[in-house]
């Protein structure tokens, strides 16, 4: 029986106590991967039902926003474990799926049949998702560079740049801009010097206020 939830809680506590243990880390990664696998199966069953039931979403299986968020966060966690072990291809796959799954679900919930991943949700009722997707996009750009995945590197860089520019004048821009470290902003070719300077000022202002 695949009791991933029960095992996950125990392993999460053990991992928190000793994250350097190779055995605990491997078990934690396996358990998190199983959680993702089970949630992924339900998500794609819902997606298949949605696409096959005249796009009305009234299929046999439904996926709530809470379930989507859990899948998204688990994929982010799994990608972090892969990044720590320098498994950048695997990390990129998790990040890419997290973005695609969230974007599809959010678009359909807004009754938008838009398959473009570069969609801004900040002005919708799902505005709280935009920083999460931006963060995943940023990490995906970094992993693409780390594993020399040039096929998508420039496309993902363009999405990252547009996302940062979109929120540059927004009241919540501080939270969005801080996902990108000033050092990364300077070294990433997709980020202009002007935008990198804005990001550095955001960090400097936060440091002065703290």
């Amino acid at each position: 029986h695949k009791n991933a939830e029960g095992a996950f809680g125990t392993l999460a506590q053990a991992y928190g106590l000793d994250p350097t243990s190779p055995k605990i880390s491997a078990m934690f990664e396996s358990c998190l991967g199983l959680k993702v696998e089970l949630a992924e199966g339900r998500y794609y069953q819902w997606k298949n039902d949605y696409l096959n039931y005249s796009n009305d979403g009234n299929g046999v299986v439904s996926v709530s926003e809470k379930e989507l968020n859990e899948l998204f966060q688990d994929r982010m966690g799994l990608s972090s474990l892969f990044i720590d072990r320098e498994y950048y291809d695997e990390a990129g796959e998790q990040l890419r799926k997290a973005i695609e799954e969230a974007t599809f679900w959010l678009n359909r919930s807004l009754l938008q049949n838009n398959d473009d991943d570069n969609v801004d949700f900040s002005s919708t009722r799902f505005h709280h998702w935009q920083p999460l997707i931006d963060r995943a996009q940023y990490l995906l750009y970094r992993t693409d560079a780390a594993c020399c995945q040039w096929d998508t590197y420039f496309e993902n860089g363009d999405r990252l740049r547009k996302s940062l520019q979109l929120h540059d004048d927004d009241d919540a821009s501080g939270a969005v801009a801080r996902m990108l470290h000033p050092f990364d902003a300077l070294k990433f070719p997709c980020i202009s010097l002007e935008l990198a300077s804005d990001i550095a000022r955001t960090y400097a202002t936060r440091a002065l206020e703290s």
Side-chain angles (χ1 to χ4, degrees):
H1 178 63
K2 294 182 176 180
N3 186 13
E5 289 291 346
F8 181 79
T10 302
L11 286 170
Q13 291 181 346
Y15 183 78
L17 292 172
D18 188 8
T20 61
S21 170
K23 182 175 291 187
I24 294 177
S25 180
M27 293 174 65
F28 184 67
E29 181 183 309
S30 296
C31 185
L32 188 54
L34 178 57
K35 271 195 73 183
V36 167
E37 179 185 336
L38 295 174
E40 179 184 58
R42 180 176 178 81
Y43 174 90
Y44 284 101
Q45 186 177 352
W46 162 79
K47 183 177 181 180
N48 184 63
D49 287 346
Y50 184 96
L51 295 174
N52 289 331
Y53 282 81
S54 302
N55 289 340
D56 59 7
N58 295 320
V60 177
V61 173
S62 63
V63 172
S64 67
E65 184 180 0
K66 179 182 177 182
E67 290 173 314
L68 176 70
N69 182 60
E70 288 179 356
L71 175 57
F72 186 93
Q73 296 297 343
D74 285 345
R75 286 203 187 279
M76 292 290 285
L78 192 55
S79 71
S80 294
L81 292 175
F82 285 140
I83 289 172
D84 288 344
R85 296 176 62 186
E86 298 184 359
Y87 291 175
Y88 298 115
D89 283 320
E90 291 82 353
E93 180 182 1
Q94 293 300 320
L95 293 166
R96 196 170 289 107
K97 285 183 177 180
I99 296 168
E100 291 173 354
E101 290 161 358
T103 300
F104 184 90
W105 190 97
L106 294 169
N107 269 328
R108 270 53 188 184
S109 295
L110 292 170
L111 301 180
Q112 296 179 170
N113 292 319
N114 187 345
D115 292 323
D116 183 9
D117 290 339
N118 192 28
V119 179
D120 175 51
F121 298 103
S122 58
S123 60
T124 73
R125 69 178 189 272
F126 296 120
H127 57 88
H128 50 284
W129 274 91
Q130 194 58 52
L132 301 177
I133 294 173
D134 289 340
R135 174 68 178 174
Q137 195 68 61
Y138 161 53
L139 292 174
L140 179 58
Y141 183 71
R142 292 188 65 185
T143 56
D144 278 351
C147 63
C148 301
Q149 183 60 264
W150 308 122
D151 291 344
T152 55
Y153 176 76
F154 296 103
E155 180 182 355
N156 289 330
D158 188 54
R159 288 173 177 169
L160 175 62
R161 176 183 56 78
K162 288 178 179 177
S163 177
L164 289 169
Q165 288 178 330
L166 180 67
H167 299 285
D168 192 36
D169 296 323
D170 186 66
D171 291 337
S173 63
V176 177
R178 282 198 295 271
M179 75 176 184
L180 186 62
H181 193 276
F183 178 74
D184 284 338
L186 283 173
K187 73 178 183 179
F188 287 174
C190 65
I191 306 299
S192 68
L193 182 58
E194 179 182 3
L195 187 53
S197 298
D198 289 341
I199 292 170
R201 278 193 291 270
T202 299
Y203 268 76
T205 301
R206 183 180 62 169
L208 291 172
E209 293 174 348
S210 61

